[in-house]
Amino acid sequence: MIRFSRWRGWGERVTLAVTEYDALRDAERIVRDIVIESEAACNPQRGDAEIHAVNLAQGIPVQVSPRLSVLLRSALWAARMTGGVVDPLSADDSDLDEDSTAPIHPLPTYLDVQLDGETVLTPYGVSLDISETAKADTVDRAAAAVARDLECGVLVRMGETMATAGNCPAGGWQIDLPGGGTVELPAGAAMSTRTAGDSAESLWREVTVIAADAVWADAACATALRRGLGAMRWLEQYGLPARLFDENGHIHTTATWSNPRAA
């Protein structure tokens, strides 16, 4: 029997589902604590967030908490895997105004951010905003913690990004898809959906990706939206089950989408 709990956390709708009837209360406590810890580490909208110490350092190494170190590592990994499409650098600091003069020296990129254990060094003039990848990492970590500590099957979802861990319920995790339809999400897999938005110039209106973890699923969605015609080839290159809606409402799927367990 699957039990559910829903609440708002870090500006998102959080959904928790567990396969053991008596595990829900403890599972919710675990997930809430992890969401709170992650938000305190890197939510730039919070004045007391730890990430501000990194952004204010301006070229000076900073010792950070183990949790922020993990979140930064995930963000840098996503940046490398997507060729910088998922960028941990704040857009306000990495983008030039149209009328500004090109700098003599190249602008810093995510490749210039150094992370050694729990010591972070960012170039002068750089600010980090890792909120998107941090939320996905939080989903992964929360699902793994519940499955490990309570020995039950679990699904954790924040917004449109989710991860499962532990044993599947009878019939599997049946997930409703945006725009209609369902997909069975295997245990130990993750799924994310991103939309382009009304004002975005993208061939794709919506992208859903299944991957081994939520960080990769979310990063792949963001990359597919930016890659236009090259999105399908890029997704196929990594063997990712994906469903894409184009601007005319037509559905396109990768070869592995028909068999999501391939994730």
Side-chain angles (χ1 to χ4, degrees):
M1 179 179 180
I2 301 176
R3 294 193 68 191
F4 292 88
S5 180
R6 296 180 177 86
W7 67 93
R8 297 284 300 181
W10 198 351
E12 302 283 0
R13 179 187 63 186
V14 181
T15 300
L16 166 67
V18 293
T19 58
E20 297 295 333
Y21 185 87
D22 294 331
L24 184 62
R25 178 177 295 180
D26 287 339
E28 182 174 331
R29 173 184 52 78
I30 291 170
V31 176
R32 284 182 179 271
D33 286 348
I34 291 173
V35 172
I36 290 170
E37 182 185 21
S38 296
E39 182 183 11
C42 65
N43 181 0
Q45 304 303 316
R46 286 182 49 158
D48 61 347
E50 188 182 1
I51 194 73
H52 293 305
V54 177
N55 290 337
L56 290 171
Q58 295 297 295
I60 300 173
V62 177
Q63 191 80 9
V64 298
S65 67
R67 183 59 186 145
L68 182 54
S69 175
V70 169
L71 294 173
L72 287 168
R73 202 171 303 279
S74 289
L76 293 172
W77 178 85
R80 290 193 300 272
M81 290 296 293
T82 62
V85 171
V86 177
D87 193 349
L89 273 59
S90 172
D92 291 340
D93 295 290
S94 60
D95 291 341
L96 283 173
D97 296 332
E98 292 183 1
D99 296 332
S100 63
T101 303
I104 297 175
H105 301 289
L107 288 174
T109 72
Y110 68 92
L111 295 172
D112 298 305
V113 178
Q114 300 177 34
L115 180 60
D116 182 9
E118 294 168 8
T119 301
V120 184
L121 175 62
T122 58
Y124 180 83
V126 163
S127 291
L128 302 178
D129 184 353
I130 62 171
S131 298
E132 289 299 326
T133 52
K135 288 179 181 180
D137 185 280
T138 297
V139 167
D140 283 327
R141 183 179 180 222
V146 170
R148 180 189 66 243
D149 294 352
L150 304 181
E151 299 183 346
C152 66
V154 57
L155 181 147
V156 178
R157 176 174 185 167
M158 288 185 69
E160 295 301 328
T161 299
M162 66 196 76
T164 66
N167 297 323
C168 275
W173 294 108
Q174 300 295 322
I175 309 299
D176 292 331
L177 293 167
T182 61
V183 67
E184 181 179 340
L185 191 61
M191 187 172 80
S192 186
T193 297
R194 283 206 182 203
T195 56
D198 294 336
S199 61
E201 296 181 1
S202 174
L203 172 64
W204 310 111
R205 189 177 68 189
E206 179 181 278
V207 178
T208 298
V209 176
I210 295 174
D213 58 75
V215 172
W216 187 213
D218 181 69
C221 281
T223 303
L225 284 174
R226 289 276 300 275
R227 279 187 169 260
L229 288 173
M232 293 293 289
R233 175 181 291 184
W234 186 84
L235 292 164
E236 294 280 11
Q237 172 187 340
Y238 289 103
L240 292 169
R243 188 182 78 162
L244 301 83
F245 279 84
D246 66 25
E247 55 192 356
N248 297 315
H250 299 142
I251 297 175
H252 306 255
T253 59
T254 59
T256 50
W257 178 257
S258 60
N259 180 24
R261 284 189 176 85

